[in-house]
Amino acid sequence: MTKVTDGAVTEAAHVLVAADKFKGSLTAVEVAERVTAGLRLVAPDVTVEALPVADGGDGTVAAAVAAGFERREVRVTGPLGDELTAAYALRDGTAVVEMAEASGLQHLPHGVFAPLTAGTYGSGELLRAALDAGARTIVFGVGGSASTDGGAGMLAALGGRFLDGAGQPVGPGGGGLRDLATVDLSGLDARIADTDIVLASDVDNPLTGPKGAPAVYGPQKGASPEDVAALDAALAHYARVLEKTIGARAAEAALSPGAGAAGGIGYGALVGLAASFRPGIEVMLDVLGFDAALSRATLVITGEGSLDEQTLHGKAPAGVAAAARARDIEVIAVCGRLALRPEALGRAGIRRAYALTDLEPDPARCMSEAGPLLERMSAGIARDFLV
């Protein structure tokens, strides 16, 4: 097995760049481009293979497209009810659907939040579009949601009915679920039963409670303490009504890992779509063909915007490093900000991490000048490991 020894690759290097986005600065594709450019400034003949990665959240469709999937666009309902264009990726009967494309925070006006009323109807429309296109395996990446509706909006778009005591549809968002009296899932799209749906997320929270979707992620979506309490009560009520409809598995699913993902859309997928939950990066590495790319590599460069404690719990760099370590391949990480000690990096399988803040201590400039800084930093990696 080719290794990096004493700071240099001892045989002809084949570098695999498998990094996630630097959120707010660079997409995963742009990270790969800048790292490649920097490496080649110092080692112009090095073989560099780019495989942008994602963990199910923002950028998941873009990573699939970069790996050869076809990008498909469709008009769907945004989190506030307006129409927008969302994309999914398709190849050989497998679709990669990113809920943030339809129901993500990025679709809210700047500074505007709607924690009680934002919904996921558009995510259901996006799933339906994938079914219409012939997908029979769907990787449903969830994260970055604007909503906390337990996936009720998504299920409504696929044929579910969520009614109040007067037999009328409840209002949008998690807030509307407080009025829920009956649920009817008999009209769900029949194709769902013949489709393998994988819930891909780096979040293993339950639906409600102190570690549930409202408590942990509601404040990121503008929820006040009062809103969090209201949403938690509404989702708990939602689960009880579903239990009356489909039995004990509704209560069990509410406690399952991933139920609290993306404002509880994970719960809707587990209960209504019979989805199976897998860590997002694990699923995406399979879908993107990472194993084959890794077999060609002598050095792996991974990374994301912030390397911190969250990285170690299912984020893309940790997944990449674990797979590379299993093959005894050295891993270098790049990031904007580094908040992990060397021993923590080592336990994760990362030999060394390089941060933009080492070159530019001003966080604002790190964000605005991330591309040139990353290119410059990657030239330093080439000097340390490739020449």
Side-chain angles (χ1 to χ4, degrees), residues 89-117:
L90 183 70
R91 182 173 68 184
D92 299 332
T94 295
V96 175
V97 176
E98 177 186 326
M99 71 86 59
E101 278 281 321
S103 311
L105 278 168
Q106 74 265 28
H107 295 305
L108 299 181
H110 181 69
V112 174
F113 296 98
L116 296 176
T117 57

Side-chain angles (χ1 to χ4, degrees), residues 194-262:
D194 299 319
T195 305
D196 181 20
I197 300 177
V198 181
L199 177 66
S201 174
D202 65 349
V203 166
D204 59 4
N205 303 69
L207 181 63
T208 58
K211 295 184 179 179
V216 176
Y217 301 106
Q220 300 172 7
K221 305 169 191 184
S224 67
E226 294 76 18
D227 293 336
V228 168
L231 287 167
D232 198 69
L235 289 182
H237 174 66
Y238 169 53
R240 287 193 296 270
V241 175
L242 269 169
E243 187 176 3
K244 293 177 185 177
T245 304
I246 64 173
R249 69 183 181 89
E252 294 166 2
L255 301 174
S256 298

